[in-house]
Amino acid sequence: MTIFQKIINREIPASIVHEDDLCLAFRDVNPQAPVHVLLIPKKPIVSLDHLTPDDATLCGHLLQMVPKVAALLGLEGGYRTVINTGVHGGQSVFHLHIHILGGRPLDWPPG
Ligand code: AMP
């Protein structure tokens, strides 16, 4: 079981900023910006590579939640979304998640 599944199950604590039937958003323990939140589906999808056509509605919901969570967090100046996929993509937790980063101007390109 991944650490994110344990957060969904309330087996370990997290600073949750949004929850609904399909997804959960909580603050990253190792923030890379003044605001750094992870938005995850409750369904244990490993990564973008593991999506199926059945996940289309869920994916639409997740994307539509991004600006809502960003607004909740006060990111009026803009924000960055990142989905790391696989080892070369820098993924370290194998439960699909969208990083939402903001609260300062962010450099481009990323490393
Ligand atoms: P990634 O490297 O894209 O897989 O991102 C995983 C993220 O999960 C990292 O930014 C970690 O800091 C974060 N993380 C790991 N464990 C926890 C936790 N228990 N609560 C919140 N964030 C976590």
Side-chain angles (χ1 to χ4, degrees), residues 36-96:
H36 186 173
V37 160
L38 303 170
L39 175 63
I40 69 170
K42 288 186 173 174
K43 180 178 175 183
I45 299 167
V46 172
S47 78
L48 287 180
D49 283 343
H50 296 77
L51 290 172
T52 72
D54 286 347
D55 297 318
T57 302
L58 174 58
C59 288
H61 179 75
L62 279 174
L63 276 185
Q64 290 190 317
M65 284 316 300
V66 168
K68 291 189 176 153
V69 170
L72 254 172
L73 298 167
L75 298 178
E76 288 86 9
Y79 52 88
R80 168 120 1 117
T81 48
V82 174
I83 304 176
N84 294 325
T85 303
V87 174
H88 284 192
Q91 185 174 6
S92 61
V93 178
F94 290 88
H95 182 124
L96 180 64

Side-chain angles (χ1 to χ4, degrees), residues 4 7 26-30 38 84 90-93 97 99:
F4 292 173
I7 289 173
F26 53 90
R27 293 187 192 274
D28 197 297
V29 278
N30 184 23
L38 303 170
N84 294 325
Q91 185 174 6
S92 61
V93 178
H97 49 283
H99 295 260

Side-chain angles (χ1 to χ4, degrees), residues 80 106-111:
R80 168 120 1 117
L106 298 164
D107 293 335
W108 189 263

